[in-house]
Amino acid sequence: MQQKPKNPSKHVLNRRQFIEISGKGIASLSVGAAGLGSLSLSACESPKSNKVFGACHHDCPDTCSWEITTEDNQIKSFKASESNPYTAGKLCNKMDNFHNEVVFSPHRLLKPLKRVGVKGSGDFAEISWDQALQEISEKLKIILDEKGGEAILPFSYGGNEGIIQGRAGRKLFAHMGASRLDRTICGDAAVAGIEAVNGQTTGVMPEDIIHSRFIVLWGTNTLYTNQHLWPFILKAKEQGAKIVVIDPFKSDTAMEADWYIQPFPGTDTALALGLIHVILAENLQDVDYISKYTSGINELTVHVQLYNPENVAKITGLDKETIIDLAKSYANAKPSLIRLLIGMEHQSNGASAYRAIAMLPALTGAWKELGGGLMHMAYELFGEALNYEPHELPQNLKEKTTRLINMVKLGKVLTDPTMSPSIDALFVYNANPAVTIPNQNLVLEGLKRTDLLTVVLDHFVTDTARYADYVFPATTPFENWDLFSTWAIPYLNINEPAIPPLGEAKANTEFFRLLAKHMGYEESYLFEDDQDLVKTTLDSNHPYMKGITYKSLRKTGWAKFNLPDPWMPHVEGNFATPTKKCLFYNPNVDPALPDYIPLPHSEEDIINYPYRLLSIKSTKHFLNSSHANIDSLIQKEGKPYLDISDEDAIALSIVDGDAVKVYNQRGEVLLNAKIKKRVKKGVVCMPQGYWTSLMDGDSSANALTDDLLTDMGGGAALQEARVAIMKV
Ligand SMILES: Nc1nc2c(c(=O)[nH]1)N[C@H]1C(S)=C(S)[C@@H](COP(=O)(O)OP(=O)(O)OC[C@H]3O[C@@H](n4cnc5c(=O)[nH]c(N)nc54)[C@H](O)[C@@H]3O)O[C@H]1N2
Ligand SMILES: Nc1nc2c(c(=O)[nH]1)N[C@H]1C(S)=C(S)[C@@H](COP(=O)(O)OP(=O)(O)OC[C@H]3O[C@@H](n4cnc5c(=O)[nH]c(N)nc54)[C@H](O)[C@@H]3O)O[C@H]1N2
Ligand code: SF4
Ligand SMILES: [Mo]
C-alpha cells in the first residue's frame, strides 16, 4: 500500500485532508475500529469478562492509573482509577478518549512499511515483518563490518515511560557496540542544578502540598502540565494558602494565582539570588538550621551582595518592591513550598536557576515543616525500591563503553562531515525528533541523507517516520506488559495487556528480540520475556515495597510506596551530599556558587531578531507531539498562535488573529497573532508539539530553536531563541 504523499497545497484544509488521505490508506491495511475487537477474539484463548489494570505511558508527572474492562477480548470500558487518590477518577483531555483516538484509530499504523518515495515524501509500501527485518539486519551487518558499532545510533525518549517498553533495545544496542544516546532534553539541567545543592532531587511529596500555606509555582504551568496536583493546591488554598506563580508567560495557571510575577525569561538565577540577598539583609534566615545542616553560608552571603534588589530589578524587569515583598512573604510564611518542574530549565542559565532556588528552603528552614521545602521529582525513590538488576547490562557489555551522543545535537550529529564514524543507522522509537528536537531544519537535513538507514517504530507515521526507510507498528499499553514508575509521585503501576496486539503491531521489546534473532545473536539477555521482567523488577525487599508484589499489583493495579509517615526528608539535614549538608557553596562544582550569566547574543542578532521566543507546553490536548495528529484533538486545540504584547503588536501593525511569519536564521513558522496581555514587550510565546507536516508552512516551534546546551546537565536551551516577526 502506498501512503499518499503530502498535499503540496498550502491551503488551511491541508491538515484534515492529510489525515483523511493517510487514514484511508492505513485503514485499508487492517480493519476498521469497529471490527478490531472481534478480530482480536480469534487470537485469544477463551471468551471471558476481565478487569485489567494499566497506567498512562506518557511523559507526564501524573502517571495516571486506569482500569479496562474487556468482554470476550473486546474493550467494554476504559476509565481512570477511582481508588488511586492522585488519579482520583480522572485522566485528562489528552487521554480521556485514548481508546478511540489512538488505540482503535483508523489512522493507526498496523503493518510494517518500506519507503518507496524520496525521504520525507511519506511514500511507503507494505512489507512483511520478516522481509523488513532481514533487509535491516543485512544492512546492519555491513555497517558493523565496515564502520563498527558506533555508526549505529538508537534514538528513544519519553514516548513510552514504561520500565519495560521505555528501556527496550538498550541491551541489544550495547551488544552491537552502538553509540549511546545521552537523553538530556528533559529534566537533566534542573536535576543537575538541584543536585549541586541537595545531592538529590526528591523533596516534598505532591499530596503534602495541602499542608503548605505559601505555594510558589515557579516556572511551571500546573493546570496544563501537572493537572492532578491542582486539586491538592486548591485544598491548600481553601485552608488559607497563597498561590504565587513566577513565569514570563501569563499562563492559565498564572491567571488562577493570588500573586503573579512576570520576570524576563532566563533571569530566575538573579531573582533567586536576589531573594537570598533580601532574606539575609532582613535577618529572616533560620540560623539554627543553617548552622547545623548547611555549609557555605559565608561564601553565599558575600556572593549575593551584588544581587541587591536594585540590580535584580534591572535584570528581571520586576519592581524592586516586588522582589523585597516576595522574599519577605516567602521567608515569613510557614510552611512555604516551591514547586519546580521542567520548563524553566530550557534556558542557557537554566541549571543555575534551579541551583539558586534550591538554596531557599534550607536558608529559611522551610524543610522543618510538613508541606515546606522544595517539590520537584520522586523518581529516585523507584531507584531505591525496585530491583533494577534485570535491566543492567551484563558485565561484559558494561566494560565496553562507546561514545555518548547528546540527543539535543541530533541535527549536527547527522550532518557533520567530521563525525568518525558517521552515523549510518538510526533507530527511532518512543520519540518524534523531527518535531521535538531543536534546530528542526538541520534534523530534517540529516534525516534526508540517502546513505542513512532510518528505522522508526511508532503508532502512527509521524513526521520522523516520513523520513524512515522502514516503519514498524508499535503496540500501545492496551496491548503489552509494562511496569510504570513515575517522575513525581510515589506510586507504582502494573500494566497488563487488555487485548492482543492490533493488526501486526508488536511491542518495542518484541521488535528488538526479533531483530536480535535476525542478526544471528543467541545471548539470553537479548531475549528476555516482558512479563518475567515485570516480575523480577518487583522482586525487592526494600521497605518502601512492603506488601507490594507482582501478585498484589495484579489485584490492585497500583500501589503507593510505604514511605515513612510523615515524609519530611530534610527536617534534620540528611541531604544526599558527602557531608549530608545542603551545599550553598559546592567546591566540587564549577562554579562553586551559581551566577546569573545571560547568553551573550550578538548585537546583530538583537537587531535582526528583536524578540525572545518561548515555545512551551501550552497545549491542553497534545503531549509534546503525541496526539498532535488526532483530528478531534487538533480541532479542540485550534490553530497554533503567537502570543505578543500590546506594545509590540502596535509597533508591528498587527491585530489579534492576524497571520504572521515568525522567523530567524534557522527557519520560519506561520502562526496567528494573539494579543491577550500574556507576555511582556520583547517576549513572544508559541506552543510546541505541532507536527510540521500538518502545519501551514511545514514547520513548527523547533524550526526556530537552536541546539545550544544548558549551563549544567547537558540540557537543551530551547527558550533562548530570538526571532523577527512579519505580518503576512
Ligand atoms: N498538556 C501537556 N502536559 C504536559 C506536556 C505537554 O506537552 N502538554 N508535556 C509533559 C512534559 S514532557 C513535561 S517536561 C512537563 C513540563 O511541565 P512544565 O515545566 O510545567 O511545562 P513547560 O510548559 O515546559 O514550562 C512551564 C512554564 O515555564 C515557563 N518558563 C519558560 N522559561 C522560563 C523562565 O526563564 N523562567 C520562568 N520562571 N519560567 C519560564 C513557561 O512560560 C511555562 O509556562 O509537562 C508534561 N505535561
Ligand atoms: N521547542 C520545544 N521543544 C521541546 C520542548 C519544549 O518545551 N519546547 N519540550 C521538550 C521536552 S521536555 C520533551 S520531554 C521532549 C519530548 O519529545 P519526544 O520524546 O519526541 O515526545 P513526543 O513528541 O511525545 O513523541 C513520542 C513518540 O513516541 C510514540 N510512542 C508512544 N508509545 C510508544 C511505544 O510504546 N513504542 C514506540 N515505538 N513509540 C511509542 C508516540 O506515538 C510519539 O510519536 O520534547 C522537547 N522539545
Ligand atoms: S497525560 Fe498525564 S494527566 Fe493525562 S492521563 Fe496521562 S498521566 Fe494522566
Ligand atoms: Mo519533558
Side-chain angles (χ1 to χ4, degrees):
M1 167 262 163
Q2 275 205 356
Q3 286 253 127
K4 285 271 182 207
K6 187 169 56 169
N7 189 331
S9 144
K10 304 286 181 230
H11 192 267
V12 71
L13 280 176
N14 273 0
R15 186 185 299 156
R16 211 163 305 130
Q17 276 173 347
F18 169 81
I19 288 176
E20 276 164 12
I21 291 162
S22 60
K24 268 183 210 134
I26 298 273
S28 70
L29 293 175
S30 57
V31 289
L36 287 167
S38 44
L39 178 78
S40 60
L41 177 63
S42 61
C44 272
E45 304 125 27
S46 58
K48 57 181 177 201
S49 172
N50 210 0
K51 183 150 110 178
V52 177
F53 295 107
C56 181
H57 56 302
H58 276 316
D59 197 356
C60 171
D62 294 5
T63 318
C64 296
S65 309
W66 66 48
E67 292 170 15
I68 300 169
T69 321
T70 62
E71 208 176 283
D72 295 344
N73 285 311
Q74 295 193 52
I75 305 290
K76 285 288 152 195
S77 74
F78 166 60
K79 59 186 180 80
S81 164
E82 303 272 352
S83 58
N84 177 329
Y86 200 71
T87 305
K90 189 176 172 297
L91 297 175
C92 67
N93 12 31
K94 308 175 282 293
M95 288 297 289
D96 284 336
N97 202 12
F98 180 64
H99 48 318
N100 292 318
E101 285 170 338
V102 174
V103 181
F104 294 117
S105 163
H107 312 301
R108 197 173 143 194
L109 177 67
L110 293 174
K111 287 206 172 194
L113 302 176
K114 180 179 177 178
R115 180 172 65 83
V116 293
V118 293
K119 292 197 172 190
S121 68
D123 283 346
F124 293 104
E126 283 177 22
I127 184 170
S128 72
W129 269 87
D130 236 26
Q131 180 64 26
L133 286 168
Q134 192 53 34
E135 291 178 15
I136 292 168
S137 54
E138 278 163 20
K139 289 176 186 168
L140 285 181
K141 283 176 195 165
I142 295 170
I143 293 171
L144 285 168
D145 275 355
E146 291 178 357
K147 297 258 184 95
E150 286 188 337
I152 300 167
L153 179 67
F155 191 101
S156 67
Y157 202 63
N160 188 327
E161 289 274 299
I163 294 178
I164 311 300
Q165 300 308 332
R167 289 168 177 265
R170 302 220 182 164
K171 287 183 186 167
L172 176 61
F173 288 114
H175 185 83
M176 290 179 181
S179 289
R180 291 170 303 138
L181 186 73
D182 205 3
R183 297 175 172 83
T184 58
I185 203 158
C186 176
D188 283 36
V191 169
I194 296 173
E195 277 182 355
V197 179
N198 293 341
Q200 98 286 10
T201 180
T202 308
V204 179
M205 287 299 125
E207 286 151 296
D208 284 334
I209 205 168
I210 59 169
H211 303 290
S212 314
R213 291 296 169 267
F214 191 83
I215 299 171
V216 186
L217 303 174
W218 200 326
T220 177
N221 186 2
T222 314
L223 265 180
Y224 280 41
T225 60
N226 183 196
Q227 51 186 277
H228 289 79
L229 183 65
W230 193 252
F232 295 93
I233 293 178
L234 289 182
K235 219 170 255 176
K237 196 172 152 90
E238 271 166 31
Q239 290 167 37
K242 186 165 187 165
I243 316 297
V244 185
V245 169
I246 306 178
D247 195 320
F249 172 66
K250 191 170 186 187
S251 63
D252 283 1
T253 307
M255 301 278 203
E256 294 294 315
D258 299 305
W259 189 3
Y260 170 52
I261 296 172
Q262 189 172 38
F264 287 131
T267 61
D268 303 83
T269 312
L271 180 56
L273 294 173
L275 299 183
I276 295 173
H277 176 108
V278 176
I279 289 167
L280 291 173
E282 301 276 339
N283 224 4
L284 296 173
Q285 72 274 31
D286 185 328
V287 177
D288 184 54
Y289 193 91
I290 291 171
S291 71
K292 285 186 182 145
Y293 308 124
T294 74
S295 67
I297 187 67
N298 293 337
E299 290 88 343
L300 180 65
T301 307
V302 174
H303 185 68
V304 297
Q305 286 316 302
L306 262 182
Y307 294 91
N308 58 51
E310 290 77 14
N311 285 345
V312 174
K314 272 187 219 140
I315 296 169
T316 57
L318 301 173
D319 297 334
K320 185 177 117 183
E321 292 69 31
T322 302
I323 297 159
I324 296 169
D325 196 5
L326 177 62
K328 286 189 187 169
S329 309
Y330 169 76
N332 286 325
K334 295 212 175 351
S336 58
L337 178 93
I338 298 172
R339 190 340 172 224
L340 299 169
L341 211 54
I342 304 289
M344 191 176 50
E345 79 167 19
H346 292 137
Q347 303 283 357
S348 63
N349 195 223
S352 293
Y354 284 77
R355 192 174 171 193
I357 293 167
M359 295 177 184
L360 285 161
L363 190 74
T364 58
W367 290 113
K368 292 194 307 197
E369 271 140 318
L370 186 60
L374 196 70
M375 184 189 293
H376 189 223
M377 298 290 176
Y379 66 81
E380 286 151 337
L381 301 174
F382 292 84
E384 290 173 50
L386 296 177
N387 174 21
Y388 278 96
E389 233 176 79
H391 304 281
E392 278 177 22
L393 294 180
Q395 196 54 35
N396 62 320
L397 300 185
K398 260 190 206 160
E399 285 157 11
K400 287 195 260 169
T401 47
T402 55
R403 73 178 167 188
L404 192 61
I405 289 181
N406 190 322
M407 65 190 298
V408 176
K409 301 282 183 189
L410 181 67
K412 290 226 166 84
V413 162
L414 292 180
T415 53
D416 180 356
T418 66
M419 280 289 286
S420 178
S422 55
I423 300 297
D424 288 357
L426 177 72
F427 284 79
V428 181
Y429 53 109
N430 300 339
N432 187 10
V435 177
T436 55
I437 294 297
N439 218 341
Q440 188 172 85
N441 286 319
L442 199 63
V443 172
L444 298 184
E445 199 183 312
L447 291 175
K448 274 184 201 149
R449 264 177 48 200
T450 49
D451 61 336
L452 174 71
L453 167 69
T454 301
V455 178
V456 174
L457 287 73
D458 208 299
H459 303 146
F460 296 101
V461 179
T462 60
D463 280 354
T464 310
R466 293 175 76 85
Y467 292 82
D469 296 287
Y470 299 89
V471 192
F472 289 88
T475 49
T476 67
F478 275 45
E479 302 145 77
N480 55 242
W481 277 102
D482 222 322
L483 187 64
F484 286 98
S485 56
T486 72
W487 314 354
I489 46 171
Y491 287 79
L492 180 65
N493 288 275
I494 199 163
N495 187 86
E496 307 166 309
I499 49 172
L502 296 188
E504 294 185 19
K506 295 190 195 299
N508 294 342
T509 43
E510 180 64 3
F511 171 87
F512 290 113
R513 285 188 289 261
L514 290 173
L515 181 59
K517 197 170 148 216
H518 276 266
M519 293 295 290
Y521 301 149
E522 290 178 347
E523 287 72 6
S524 57
Y525 55 77
L526 302 175
F527 298 96
E528 289 156 326
D529 175 75
D530 296 356
Q531 197 175 351
D532 286 346
L533 280 174
V534 170
K535 283 183 195 162
T536 47
T537 311
L538 290 169
D539 188 8
S540 160
N541 292 326
H542 193 280
Y544 299 163
M545 287 288 284
K546 192 160 173 247
I548 307 173
T549 60
Y550 172 75
K551 219 169 153 188
S552 77
L553 276 179
R554 290 208 67 186
K555 286 201 188 116
T556 57
W558 62 272
K560 189 174 182 178
F561 281 152
N562 290 292
L563 299 180
D565 186 19
W567 174 260
M568 297 170 73
H570 304 308
V571 179
E572 294 179 346
N574 203 26
F575 294 95
T577 58
T579 55
K580 303 256 177 232
K581 292 187 172 189
C582 165
L583 306 178
F584 295 142
Y585 179 86
N586 187 339
N588 296 319
V589 175
D590 182 21
L593 285 152
D595 246 322
Y596 168 68
I597 303 171
L599 189 73
H601 291 279
S602 71
E603 231 168 85
E604 200 188 336
D605 262 14
I606 293 172
I607 294 166
N608 291 340
Y609 309 113
Y611 305 96
R612 177 75 179 262
L613 174 75
L614 296 172
S615 54
I616 59 168
K617 294 160 179 84
S618 49
T619 52
K620 258 192 177 162
H621 302 88
F622 311 150
L623 194 123
N624 300 316
S625 78
S626 297
H627 304 200
N629 61 320
I630 308 292
D631 206 19
S632 48
L633 296 178
I634 292 173
Q635 282 178 24
K636 282 185 198 158
E637 191 61 45
K639 282 169 89 81
Y641 49 84
L642 181 80
D643 266 293
I644 181 165
S645 69
D646 286 337
E647 298 96 311
D648 290 328
I650 291 167
L652 289 159
S653 308
I654 289 171
V655 298
D656 202 50
D658 270 355
V660 291
K661 180 169 93 175
V662 188
Y663 64 98
N664 62 19
Q665 59 279 57
R666 288 175 292 279
E668 58 181 60
V669 181
L670 300 179
L671 298 164
N672 288 84
K674 213 181 202 182
I675 308 164
K676 296 269 188 264
K677 299 188 191 305
R678 298 244 189 183
V679 283
K680 273 187 171 164
K681 183 174 182 301
V683 179
V684 291
C685 184
M686 69 179 289
Q688 65 112 18
Y690 282 82
W691 285 27
T692 61
S693 55
L694 304 181
M695 287 279 289
D696 302 335
D698 299 335
S699 61
S700 56
N702 279 316
L704 301 166
T705 59
D706 200 358
D707 52 24
L708 292 170
L709 298 186
T710 52
D711 44 354
M712 289 164 69
L718 301 163
Q719 314 296 2
E720 289 285 354
R722 301 194 68 88
V723 293
I725 297 162
M726 185 195 280
K727 193 169 154 175
V728 288

PDB file of all heavy atoms in Angstrom, residues 59 186 487 617 624, ligand 4:
ATOM      1  N   ASP A  59       4.906  10.941  29.037  1.00  0.00           N
ATOM      2  CA  ASP A  59       5.974  11.640  29.733  1.00  0.00           C
ATOM      3  C   ASP A  59       5.336  12.790  30.517  1.00  0.00           C
ATOM      4  O   ASP A  59       5.443  13.945  30.126  1.00  0.00           O
ATOM      5  CB  ASP A  59       6.944  12.168  28.658  1.00  0.00           C
ATOM      6  CG  ASP A  59       8.273  12.555  29.218  1.00  0.00           C
ATOM      7  OD1 ASP A  59       8.436  12.492  30.443  1.00  0.00           O
ATOM      8  OD2 ASP A  59       9.155  12.930  28.420  1.00  0.00           O
ATOM      9  N   CYS A 186      15.041  16.646  28.814  1.00  0.00           N
ATOM     10  CA  CYS A 186      14.002  16.965  29.799  1.00  0.00           C
ATOM     11  C   CYS A 186      14.444  16.582  31.197  1.00  0.00           C
ATOM     12  O   CYS A 186      14.550  15.396  31.510  1.00  0.00           O
ATOM     13  CB  CYS A 186      12.735  16.224  29.425  1.00  0.00           C
ATOM     14  SG  CYS A 186      11.408  16.427  30.598  1.00  0.00           S
ATOM     15  N   TRP A 487       7.751  10.018  37.537  1.00  0.00           N
ATOM     16  CA  TRP A 487       8.761  11.039  37.820  1.00  0.00           C
ATOM     17  C   TRP A 487       8.557  11.615  39.205  1.00  0.00           C
ATOM     18  O   TRP A 487       9.467  12.015  39.855  1.00  0.00           O
ATOM     19  CB  TRP A 487       8.612  12.276  36.995  1.00  0.00           C
ATOM     20  CG  TRP A 487       8.388  12.352  35.579  1.00  0.00           C
ATOM     21  CD1 TRP A 487       8.372  11.383  34.641  1.00  0.00           C
ATOM     22  CD2 TRP A 487       8.156  13.593  34.907  1.00  0.00           C
ATOM     23  NE1 TRP A 487       8.152  11.954  33.424  1.00  0.00           N
ATOM     24  CE2 TRP A 487       8.021  13.291  33.563  1.00  0.00           C
ATOM     25  CE3 TRP A 487       8.069  14.917  35.342  1.00  0.00           C
ATOM     26  CZ2 TRP A 487       7.786  14.283  32.618  1.00  0.00           C
ATOM     27  CZ3 TRP A 487       7.837  15.879  34.412  1.00  0.00           C
ATOM     28  CH2 TRP A 487       7.699  15.570  33.047  1.00  0.00           C
ATOM     29  N   LYS A 617       4.709  24.232  26.596  1.00  0.00           N
ATOM     30  CA  LYS A 617       3.658  23.199  26.555  1.00  0.00           C
ATOM     31  C   LYS A 617       2.309  23.819  26.873  1.00  0.00           C
ATOM     32  O   LYS A 617       1.646  23.428  27.835  1.00  0.00           O
ATOM     33  CB  LYS A 617       4.023  22.097  27.526  1.00  0.00           C
ATOM     34  CG  LYS A 617       5.268  21.376  27.064  1.00  0.00           C
ATOM     35  CD  LYS A 617       5.926  20.636  28.172  1.00  0.00           C
ATOM     36  CE  LYS A 617       7.146  19.916  27.690  1.00  0.00           C
ATOM     37  NZ  LYS A 617       8.322  20.781  27.653  1.00  0.00           N
ATOM     38  N   ASN A 624       3.591  16.879  24.190  1.00  0.00           N
ATOM     39  CA  ASN A 624       4.676  17.113  23.243  1.00  0.00           C
ATOM     40  C   ASN A 624       4.055  16.924  21.854  1.00  0.00           C
ATOM     41  O   ASN A 624       3.033  17.511  21.577  1.00  0.00           O
ATOM     42  CB  ASN A 624       5.883  16.237  23.575  1.00  0.00           C
ATOM     43  CG  ASN A 624       6.379  16.553  24.982  1.00  0.00           C
ATOM     44  OD1 ASN A 624       6.477  17.713  25.337  1.00  0.00           O
ATOM     45  ND2 ASN A 624       6.662  15.553  25.790  1.00  0.00           N
TER      46      ASN A 624
HETATM   47 MO    MO B   4       9.590  16.705  29.137  1.00  0.00          MO
END
